[in-house]
Amino acid sequence: MTLEITARAKKMKASGVRVVSFASGEPDFDTPDYITEAAHRALDLGITKYTPAAGTVELREAICNKLRADNGLNYDPSQIVVSNGAKHSLFNAFMATLDVGDEAIVPAPYWLSYPELVKMAGGTPVFVPTRAENGFKLTPSELERAITPKTKALVLNSPNNPTGAVYSRDELDALAAVIERRPMYVISDEIYEKLIYDGEHCSIAACSDALKQLTVVVNGMSKTYAMTGWRIGYAAANKTLASAMSSMQSHATSNANSIAQYASVAALADVTRADGFLRRMHGVFAARKQLAVDILDGLGVEYIRPQGAFYVMVSVKKYMGMSVDGNVIRSAADFAGALLDTAKVAVIPCEGFGAPDYIRLSYAASESDIKSGLDAFGEFLTRIH
Ligand code: PLP
């Protein structure tokens, strides 16, 4: 359905219809010049050959420096595996940790690829709904109740796509205490780390040595440096898991793109420029988030107040069974379809995110699109009866 809505929106745009899209999953910023310049340099220097499967030593060292400086985590380059985007790192992580029949606990709402990745590794996703009163974050007792003899891993995603929830250090410590009593791997997806407006990022791997041993930290260049198309993600893990991921990748895809790896070293190593870009992007997203929630407050809709990432989930539960222009809304997908057809606003229905009563709006869009799109959204709501 997600693809259907985006494909339909694209088709409408191509035929000249003005569509405001809140469907984007990537920052609408150009990759900073100092990074693209490094890519040009890589080409001039002939950095066009195979690299070690797990990534160049320079990039793995730069990632170790980043994890130490930002997350208080000490890894050796042999514990880092660079892959074709964080999604590939997640795939490697599930393949390395799960055997056929193992269960992976996936708090819902979740990013829609986790269940599929778990299944591709032969595992079974076990969904645990999180609750509004807990800020849509998994609690220790919910985790405990989901554990079975087959539990092998927990998926954590902070900041979360789609809810924008950000786990605090205390919340992670409380989950870590459960995991120390009943060890399981933690696949910790931290890709939105730098886009937090309320709270601070903490990696569960930093909670204790035991958790660091059990956790695969997944992060990458895509969201932080507006580099979604470059396909560079990475995983940090204990040596056994890192070497399993690296050897699997060496047979499946070999190294990630050599030019993108070279540019990623520049992205991470030039801390001053990185900070400048991140501050600017963060400021823009923070302002857009505020604008979006202010308008949503004005519309009186129920939504999840995001702490991070660039999405806001709006509840469409109260419209179920109602009609717009003679079409009955029976699902979030129906709602999104009608919104696109009549208001020319594209949003993502959240059935695939384990949240069938919600739609997801991305505020990776200009302020004028946020204003005009949410105005049209508000007008659409008045036509539902
Ligand atoms: N993890 C989450 C939560 C995401 O939202 C995304 C992309 O949308 C990814 C991972 C994938 O990142 P990448 O583009 O580096 O593969």
Side-chain angles (χ1 to χ4, degrees), residues 146-165:
I147 294 172
T148 76
K150 290 184 177 169
T151 303
K152 191 73 162 291
L154 164 68
V155 180
L156 268 191
N157 174 213
S158 177
N160 180 279
N161 173 8
T163 63

Side-chain angles (χ1 to χ4, degrees), residues 68-102:
R68 198 172 303 117
D70 290 355
N71 311 107
L73 293 168
N74 283 308
Y75 289 100
D76 183 80
S78 64
Q79 297 178 271
I80 309 295
V81 181
V82 176
S83 302
N84 300 286
K87 191 182 273 189
H88 187 202
S89 304
L90 288 162
F91 174 74
N92 287 341
F94 289 120
M95 290 295 280
T97 53
L98 299 179
D99 290 316
V100 172
D102 285 343

